[in-house]
Amino acid sequence: MSVYRTKVADHCRLITITWCKNLLLHGLSVSVEGPEGEEQYTCKVEVKPWYFWRKQGSKRFIVDGKAVDIFWDLKAAKFNGETEPTSEYYVAVVCDEEVVLLLGDLKKEAYRRTGCRPALIDPILVSKKEHIFGKKKFSTRAKFHEKGRWHEISIECKNKGNNNGESLSGVQPEMEIRIDGHLVIHVKHLQWKFRGNESIHLSKMRVEVYWDVHDWLFSPGLKHALFIFKPILSPSTTTTTSSMSSSSPSLSSSSSPPLSSDQTRGSGSVEGFSVSGSSEFCLFLYAWKVE
């Protein structure tokens, strides 16, 4: 689920793009925020092997008296085992003869089919939410900015043997978070530090990482942990370091609003955006532990 902010029907609104996949359905949903964020207008696309005609189409709904059109072409989309396509597709949102949001690599085809020009205001990626499943290790690919490069993220929960009698079970859980193969966070005594946050550095960008793994450790059944990755622009050039933050706020699994960030002054660019401003983006990872 990716949430963008852009101008639609004369107002700044949120557009949510959701890709879902299960044994019976591979689907796409596009939702546009209604007046004052109350009502949402939604277009759903079911990509089924026997519904070839649904892999390309369009839908229109009215937002505040103005037409909003959704165009999509998934006929040749390549998913490479992912829920979201990686290439050979487009999804376009059109309003006032402008393409206010365009996803995918078939941009020329999208402009040709819609017959509309690019919007003067670029959409801003506000947040992305993803559900991942595993037993001990959870992996995904993500960008910390829409124009940034892909990063490989892995989260692993381990049980370390304990010979000091400190734990009744004889083991102590630990957690490791790696980005692009580099160990950036190592949490020992996870049963005491099941909620917390640390700051890591990737090139000139600082990323605040928050975690809440309480339900992994203390709740039976299928439960998820929550991880939040919040990029904060920084002129620092320190790479692949981490430091423990002095505060560890409690996280809720229902945390959906993007966290705010303070503005950082500087020059140059980091992963496709200027360090003269602050990033609004937050990555939410819901890691479901399957026994």
Side-chain angles (χ1 to χ4, degrees), residues 104-218:
D105 56 335
L106 301 182
K107 299 186 184 300
K108 291 183 179 180
E109 289 82 350
Y111 288 122
R112 186 184 306 115
R113 184 177 176 212
T114 61
C116 297
R117 62 184 181 276
L120 297 177
I121 300 176
D122 289 333
I124 298 173
L125 179 61
V126 175
S127 67
K128 185 168 185 177
K129 303 176 185 179
E130 184 177 354
H131 293 263
I132 52 180
F133 297 81
K135 292 185 177 181
K136 294 183 178 180
K137 190 172 183 178
F138 307 83
S139 302
T140 188
R141 296 172 68 248
K143 293 181 180 180
F144 294 123
H145 187 271
E146 180 68 11
K147 297 181 180 179
R149 68 182 183 89
W150 287 99
H151 294 281
E152 302 287 340
I153 301 175
S154 70
I155 302 166
E156 187 171 4
C157 187
K158 299 180 177 180
N159 288 326
K160 183 178 180 182
N162 176 31
N163 298 322
N164 298 326
E166 297 178 7
S167 172
L168 294 176
S169 62
V171 296
Q172 290 188 353
E174 296 185 354
M175 182 177 68
E176 294 181 353
I177 300 179
R178 298 178 183 269
I179 297 182
D180 299 328
H182 300 286
L183 179 63
V184 294
I185 294 178
H186 184 196
V187 182
K188 298 181 180 180
H189 308 295
L190 191 61
Q191 71 272 29
W192 302 331
K193 303 175 183 178
F194 50 83
R195 292 190 183 101
N197 68 295
E198 288 195 24
S199 178
I200 66 175
H201 292 267
L202 297 173
S203 299
K204 294 182 180 180
M205 180 175 58
R206 189 171 93 249
V207 179
E208 292 291 336
V209 182
Y210 302 82
W211 68 87
D212 183 347
V213 300
H214 175 275
D215 288 353
W216 272 4
L217 303 174
F218 306 113

Side-chain angles (χ1 to χ4, degrees), residues 3-290:
V3 181
Y4 297 84
R5 180 184 292 115
T6 190
K7 184 179 179 181
V8 181
D10 299 325
H11 289 87
C12 184
R13 305 176 191 271
L14 298 179
I15 299 178
T16 302
I17 309 294
T18 304
W19 297 91
C20 61
K21 183 179 181 181
N22 55 39
L23 294 176
L24 300 177
L25 174 67
H26 200 165
L28 162 68
S29 174
V30 181
S31 298
V32 179
E33 186 180 40
E36 300 180 358
E38 296 177 356
E39 184 181 358
Q40 286 195 332
Y41 304 85
T42 303
C43 164
K44 294 184 178 181
V45 181
E46 295 182 354
V47 186
K48 295 181 179 180
W50 53 92
Y51 284 169
F52 292 103
W53 63 275
R54 291 304 303 273
K55 292 187 177 183
Q56 181 182 21
S58 65
K59 183 176 181 180
R60 167 175 291 190
F61 42 76
I62 305 300
V63 178
D64 281 2
K66 291 198 173 184
V68 176
D69 293 290
I70 313 295
F71 295 85
W72 66 89
D73 187 344
L74 305 172
K75 296 192 308 295
K78 292 181 171 57
F79 290 88
N80 296 329
E82 303 289 336
T83 303
E84 183 177 356
T86 57
S87 62
E88 301 297 324
Y89 80 103
Y90 69 76
V91 178
V93 182
V94 175
C95 184
D96 287 334
E97 298 184 351
E98 289 186 341
V99 179
V100 296
L101 178 63
L102 178 57
L103 305 179
D105 56 335
L106 301 182
K107 299 186 184 300
K108 291 183 179 180
E109 289 82 350
Y111 288 122
R112 186 184 306 115
R113 184 177 176 212
T114 61
C116 297
R117 62 184 181 276
L120 297 177
I121 300 176
D122 289 333
I124 298 173
L125 179 61
V126 175
S127 67
K128 185 168 185 177
K129 303 176 185 179
E130 184 177 354
H131 293 263
I132 52 180
F133 297 81
K135 292 185 177 181
K136 294 183 178 180
K137 190 172 183 178
F138 307 83
S139 302
T140 188
R141 296 172 68 248
K143 293 181 180 180
F144 294 123
H145 187 271
E146 180 68 11
K147 297 181 180 179
R149 68 182 183 89
W150 287 99
H151 294 281
E152 302 287 340
I153 301 175
S154 70
I155 302 166
E156 187 171 4
C157 187
K158 299 180 177 180
N159 288 326
K160 183 178 180 182
N162 176 31
N163 298 322
N164 298 326
E166 297 178 7
S167 172
L168 294 176
S169 62
V171 296
Q172 290 188 353
E174 296 185 354
M175 182 177 68
E176 294 181 353
I177 300 179
R178 298 178 183 269
I179 297 182
D180 299 328
H182 300 286
L183 179 63
V184 294
I185 294 178
H186 184 196
V187 182
K188 298 181 180 180
H189 308 295
L190 191 61
Q191 71 272 29
W192 302 331
K193 303 175 183 178
F194 50 83
R195 292 190 183 101
N197 68 295
E198 288 195 24
S199 178
I200 66 175
H201 292 267
L202 297 173
S203 299
K204 294 182 180 180
M205 180 175 58
R206 189 171 93 249
V207 179
E208 292 291 336
V209 182
Y210 302 82
W211 68 87
D212 183 347
V213 300
H214 175 275
D215 288 353
W216 272 4
L217 303 174
F218 306 113
S219 297
L222 181 62
K223 299 293 183 179
H224 68 74
L226 172 62
F227 297 87
I228 301 178
F229 294 80
K230 170 66 180 172
I232 298 177
L233 306 182
S234 170
S236 171
T237 56
T238 306
T239 59
T240 320
T241 61
S242 65
S243 59
M244 188 64 185
S245 172
S246 59
S247 62
S248 299
S250 175
L251 302 179
S252 169
S253 61
S254 61
S255 301
S256 57
L259 303 179
S260 62
S261 62
D262 298 329
Q263 281 202 333
T264 306
R265 300 298 178 184
S267 60
S269 63
V270 181
E271 295 224 350
F273 54 97
S274 172
V275 298
S276 61
S278 61
S279 170
E280 296 184 58
F281 177 68
C282 273
L283 170 65
F284 296 86
L285 291 182
Y286 297 86
W288 293 83
K289 203 168 186 178
V290 181

